């Protein structure tokens, strides 16, 4: 490797610190829009389910090397609905020799994610670190540009249809000044390398969200944040394809969660891009650490375009800065106070969940409360021969508690549901009937639950299920 993420001396100070998705919303009562999906009692048990009920994902960075460890996979697959390969999709991992691609470790993570209904964030295509030795021999702008574009195209083609969002360019700006980092891409290609990387990425996989990802861009007023903001503003104004900004959010005592963190998220979102918290970890322990996590979760929940949070590892044991115990599970996979704080924040019905305001329908006081439910479905990933629909969100839209709900939808010809979770499915012809399980059949008014399923389809058929309808009772 040529560049090192961790400087000599070991400790990295303050490091730092489908578009294809479609939504079908059918609301049986009240006639307008989706209702607030807040505080579902049944979704309180895991980070992923609770986040989904708030329209967000909750992910973790994963190392393929640990997928054989039962405790690791138990927690990973129980708690998280998104995964990011920690190192397995980096340049030196997937293209160690020019034009020679190897995906064994990345594929292991993607296969595991598919098996468990998790989405995948791709990390990362163009970064100053994690570059194989041959890159230093590419001394002309043309050679490096060709290598960069070939790399992006090769990797994105391999994973086409399987990645929710790619960190297309990672860490291209300097702390302090907000100047561009003096990477080999910057030196040889110049300022235009980031734009070129995004244009190449869009052409390679038009369905993946394309993100710019960086650390120390959590404080809206910092020079680095302002520089990234200006770049995103310029990109969106000129139509350069960019869909999201990733705030890595590595925090510690010297670099705590900034007081204006929510404003930072709001400012990026106001440019018309999603914001994702991509590598969250907070060094510390106990209540102070829990407070930091709570602030991050609440800030994300307060901004409609903050679409999810990923923590940079499952357990302190394998954290890139294990000594700082920065994660939600300790080395023995015990839940830490920070875990409880995150879960409580996700399930706190008093924090705002931004949704359209439904048009109030006056109800005569003598009319008994109605039993009704609504359903929305999101396709979170698709490829030639199949797709994942998650979350399917069922909301009690009526005025009384419901103890049973049934969702029906129609599969296109030749499609077949291959797996599902949080639901009991039966199929008759092309009609699928989905019923809540013992765990999630009962919903208080305004509460929601989610389920998901995988389906196969004839190769090349782009069609998707339709006609989602919810019946209460
Ligand atoms: O797997 C080898 C092992 O076989 C070998 O014995 C050992 C000797 O050093 O190295 C192991 O590889 C290390 C790898 O982590 C797995 O532990 C690499 O040397 C080490 O450089 C690598 O560090 C990763 C670092 O990025 C550099 O790529 C960290 O795991 C990873 O958490 C960190 O992640 C970065 C994000 O990509 C970008 N944002 C900052 C974040 C934290 O630094």
């Amino acid at each position: 490797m040529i560049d090192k993420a961790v400087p000599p001396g070991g400790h990295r100070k303050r490091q730092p610190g489908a578009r294809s998705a479609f939504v079908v919303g059918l609301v049986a009562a009240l006639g307008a829009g989706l209702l607030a999906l807040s505080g579902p009692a049944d979704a309180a048990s895991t980070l992923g389910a609770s986040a989904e009920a708030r329209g967000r994902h909750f992910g973790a960075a994963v190392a393929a090397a640990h997928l054989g460890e039962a405790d690791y996979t138990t927690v990973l697959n129980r708690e998280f609905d998104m995964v990011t390969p920690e190192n397995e999709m980096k340049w030196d991992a997937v293209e160690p020799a020019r034009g020679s691609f190897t995906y064994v470790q990345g594929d292991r993570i993607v296969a595991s994610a598919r098996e468990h209904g998790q989405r995948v964030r791709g990390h990362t295509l163009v970064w100053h670190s994690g570059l194989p030795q041959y890159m230093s021999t590419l001394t002309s702008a043309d050679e490096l540009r060709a290598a960069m574009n070939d790399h992006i195209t090769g990797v994105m083609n391999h994973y086409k249809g399987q990645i929710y969002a790619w960190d297309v360019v990672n860490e291209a700006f300097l702390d302090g000044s907000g100047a561009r980092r003096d990477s080999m891409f910057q030196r040889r290609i110049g300022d235009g390398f980031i734009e070129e990387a995004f244009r190449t990425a869009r052409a390679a996989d038009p369905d993946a969200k394309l993100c710019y990802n960086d650390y120390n861009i959590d404080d809206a007023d910092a020079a680095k944040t302002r520089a990234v903001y200006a770049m995103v503003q310029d990109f969106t104004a000129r139509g350069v394809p960019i869909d999201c900004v990733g705030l890595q959010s590595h925090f510690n005592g010297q670099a705590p969660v900034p007081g204006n963190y929510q404003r930072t998220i709001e400012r990026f979102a106001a440019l018309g891009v999603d914001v994702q918290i991509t590598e969250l970890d907070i060094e510390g322990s106990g209540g102070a650490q829990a407070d930091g996590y709570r602030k991050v979760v609440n800030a994300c929940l307060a901004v409609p375009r903050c679409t999810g949070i990923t923590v940079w590892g499952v357990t302190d044991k394998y954290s890139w800065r294990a000594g700082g115990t920065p994660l939600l599970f300790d080395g023995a996979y015990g839940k830490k106070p920070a875990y409880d704080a995150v879960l409580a924040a996700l399930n706190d019905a008093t924090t705002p969940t931004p949704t359209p305001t439904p048009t109030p329908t006056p109800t005569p006081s003598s009319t008994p409360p109605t039993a009704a439910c609504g359903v929305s479905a999101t396709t979170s990933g698709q490829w030639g021969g199949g797709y994942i629909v998650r979350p399917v969100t069922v909301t009690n839209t009526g005025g009384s508690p419901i103890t049973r709900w049934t969702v029906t939808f129609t599969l296109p010809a030749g499609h077949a549901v291959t797996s599902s979770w949080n639901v009991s499915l039966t199929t008759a012809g092309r009609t699928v009937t989905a019923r809540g399980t013992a765990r999630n059949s009962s919903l208080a008014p305004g509460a929601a639950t989610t389920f998901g399923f995988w389906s196969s389809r004839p190769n090349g058929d782009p069609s998707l299920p339709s006609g989602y309808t919810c019946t209460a009772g």
Side-chain angles (χ1 to χ4, degrees):
M1 287 211 301
I2 297 165
D3 292 309
K4 277 285 183 193
V6 181
H11 183 65
R12 185 175 183 169
K13 73 180 153 61
R14 208 208 152 164
Q15 164 87 292
R19 292 183 335 112
S20 61
F22 77 110
V23 175
V24 179
L26 297 176
V27 179
L30 301 177
L34 289 171
L35 298 183
L37 308 178
S38 54
D42 72 292
S45 55
T46 69
L47 302 171
S50 300
E52 284 181 21
R54 306 298 294 267
R56 311 296 199 287
H57 64 260
F58 206 100
V62 170
H66 307 317
L67 288 177
E69 186 181 323
D71 288 347
Y72 183 90
T73 52
T74 296
V75 172
L76 169 66
N77 298 327
R78 184 188 69 214
E79 296 288 340
F80 299 99
D81 64 352
M82 179 79 76
V83 299
T84 305
E86 188 170 355
N87 292 305
E88 292 78 354
M89 291 185 184
K90 291 175 179 174
W91 197 312
D92 56 355
V94 294
E95 196 186 357
R98 176 84 165 98
S100 169
F101 292 88
T102 165
Y103 297 108
V104 177
Q105 298 308 324
D107 286 357
R108 283 184 66 195
I109 294 177
V110 172
S112 165
R114 275 184 71 158
E115 193 183 326
H116 297 96
Q118 295 151 327
R119 288 184 285 171
V120 182
R121 294 194 78 265
H123 176 81
T124 173
L125 294 165
V126 181
W127 189 28
H128 67 276
S129 183
L131 296 173
Q133 197 57 44
Y134 70 87
M135 300 287 291
S136 61
T137 66
L138 309 175
T139 49
S140 77
D142 284 349
E143 280 178 309
L144 188 58
R145 179 180 288 117
M148 180 183 85
N149 290 329
D150 289 350
H151 179 78
I152 293 170
T153 305
V155 178
M156 289 186 78
N157 273 342
H158 178 79
Y159 287 113
K160 200 167 186 155
Q162 302 182 77
I163 303 292
Y164 163 69
W166 270 105
D167 292 331
V168 178
V169 175
N170 194 40
E171 303 178 358
F173 287 80
L174 287 176
D175 289 344
S177 68
R180 289 291 187 89
R181 181 189 293 278
D182 186 29
S183 70
M184 69 162 67
F185 301 102
Q186 183 69 32
R187 269 197 307 279
R188 294 179 193 155
I189 304 175
D191 277 356
F193 90 87
I194 301 182
E195 174 172 346
E196 181 155 352
F198 275 86
R199 290 192 186 280
T200 302
R202 178 68 93 229
D205 184 354
D207 289 334
K209 283 182 181 283
L210 307 181
C211 303
Y212 176 78
N213 191 51
D214 214 329
Y215 63 89
N216 280 353
I217 57 168
D218 313 291
D219 170 358
D221 300 322
K224 183 173 179 178
T225 315
R226 292 205 309 268
V228 172
Y229 178 89
M231 178 189 74
V232 177
Q233 188 175 40
D234 171 53
F235 279 14
T236 53
R238 291 191 296 113
V240 178
I242 184 168
D243 305 307
C244 38
V245 172
L247 307 190
Q248 290 185 10
S249 300
H250 294 286
F251 297 118
N252 60 21
Q254 288 72 51
V257 183
N260 61 2
Y261 190 65
Q262 184 178 319
R263 183 158 65 86
T264 309
I265 298 172
E266 285 165 351
R267 275 175 55 76
F268 278 120
L271 293 175
V273 292
D274 289 348
V275 178
Q276 297 170 20
I277 314 302
T278 53
E279 303 183 14
L280 178 62
D281 58 6
I282 305 178
E283 290 185 319
S285 61
Q289 184 178 50
D291 282 348
Y293 271 100
R294 185 182 300 110
K295 282 182 197 159
V296 171
V297 173
N298 284 337
C300 181
L301 289 175
V303 185
R305 290 204 74 160
C306 183
T307 57
I309 296 172
T310 294
V311 287
W312 204 239
V314 174
T315 158
D316 284 341
K317 179 166 63 160
Y318 298 134
S319 164
W320 70 292
R321 44 183 189 176
T325 60
L327 295 171
L328 300 176
F329 291 88
D330 65 25
Y333 295 98
K335 293 173 181 174
K336 296 165 62 177
Y339 172 94
D340 297 332
V342 168
L343 193 64
L346 290 171
N347 286 312
D348 181 356
T350 66
T351 59
T353 295
T355 50
T357 312
T359 311
T361 307
T363 309
S365 55
S366 57
T367 305
T370 53
C373 58
V375 57
S376 69
T378 299
T379 305
S380 63
Q382 50 180 315
W383 56 98
Y387 49 88
I388 315 172
V389 180
R390 82 172 289 161
V392 182
T393 303
V394 178
T395 307
N396 179 346
T397 56
S400 58
I402 57 177
T403 52
R404 277 197 306 272
W405 51 261
T406 305
V407 168
T408 56
F409 56 92
T410 306
L411 291 173
H415 293 216
V417 173
T418 52
S419 66
S420 62
W421 55 97
N422 287 350
V423 74
S424 163
L425 288 187
T426 52
T427 306
R430 288 167 46 199
T431 302
V432 180
T433 301
R435 292 192 174 84
T437 64
R439 229 186 108 249
N440 68 355
S441 288
S442 296
L443 294 174
T449 188
T450 61
F451 68 89
F453 65 93
W454 289 77
S455 178
S456 63
R457 64 184 171 191
N459 243 321
D461 172 4
S463 58
L464 293 163
S466 59
Y468 290 88
T469 308
C470 190
T471 311

